[in-house]
Structures are given as C-alpha cells and as structure tokens.
Amino acid sequence: MDSNGQWVAADAASGTAVNALGVLAAPVTDPADFASVPEVQDVIVSERELVGENRIAAVKNGVILVNSDEDWGFTPGQPIYLGTGGGFTQTKPSASGDIVQILGVAINDGNEMFLDVDYGYETVV
C-alpha cells in the first residue's frame, strides 16, 4: 500500500521497496463466480477491497498457496520472503535498502506455501 492508502504491488528491491500486506487472491467483480469453491468465496467476500473501480481480494494468512506450475522448488519448513521485483523467494534479500519480509513458509514438496504475511520487516543497511 502506498502513502495514499492505495493498493500497489509489493517489491523488496531498494529504491522501489514496498512491503507486502497480503497476497492478491483474485480480481473480483462478482463473488458468485466462486460459488463452486465455498471456502474461496468466503475469503473473497470477507477480504475484498475496492481498488479504483475494481474489487480485489487480498489474503494475509491462513491459506495454502499452491504453485500449479511446480517451479518453485522451495525447501519445506524454511521461510519464504518477498522477492526483489515482487514475488516469492527463499533467498533472503541482502542488497542495501532491500526489504526483508517473511511472507510464509514452504510446505509439502516445496511447491506449496502456508501464507502468513508478517507486517514487520527489516531494511538492509
């Protein structure tokens, strides 16, 4: 979220550093589109926000994100950080000015993540 209270993409990189507040679940214009998955529909209804003229759903914790591309290859049980350029990484950001923020932990085969966004973060000196 920027200084005007608007939702923007998170990024750990110095110069553009913006901490994460949650993970975008889906652009949502009609929660009824998710009626076949009631758990997701409940989250969307409770967590959606108006951004510009669009409604989005952002989730902070308590869900498992599955990478259907299966290309994360994370080490289960280890933290997942906000990456430089946005996204997820298990490489702790280390450049001066980067944000170090834990977003969750890798589980199962390393292509799933238990989401638990920590609002606190450190800035690399």
Side-chain angles (χ1 to χ4, degrees):
M1 186 169 294
D2 67 14
S3 60
N4 295 318
Q6 297 297 311
W7 285 85
V8 296
D11 188 342
S14 63
T16 59
V18 177
N19 66 305
L21 297 179
V23 173
L24 179 66
V28 178
T29 54
D30 186 359
D33 293 341
F34 298 87
S36 64
V37 190
E39 302 85 15
V40 173
Q41 187 179 35
D42 290 346
V43 169
I44 288 169
V45 168
S46 68
E47 302 297 327
R48 66 188 187 152
E49 296 283 337
L50 185 62
V51 176
E53 295 180 10
N54 299 309
R55 286 205 176 268
I56 63 163
V59 181
K60 177 189 181 291
N61 64 5
V63 298
I64 295 173
L65 300 180
V66 177
N67 177 10
S68 58
D69 293 333
E70 297 187 354
D71 59 0
W72 282 347
F74 292 146
T75 302
Q78 297 301 308
I80 296 174
Y81 300 95
L82 173 63
T84 56
F88 307 123
T89 183
Q90 278 192 313
T91 303
K92 191 174 184 177
S94 59
S96 179
D98 283 358
I99 286 177
V100 178
Q101 182 182 22
I102 296 175
L103 302 181
V105 64
I107 60 173
N108 298 327
D109 65 356
N111 285 304
E112 295 181 16
M113 168 185 173
F114 181 77
L115 184 68
D116 189 14
V117 176
D118 183 352
Y119 287 153
Y121 62 90
E122 298 172 8
T123 302
V124 178
V125 181

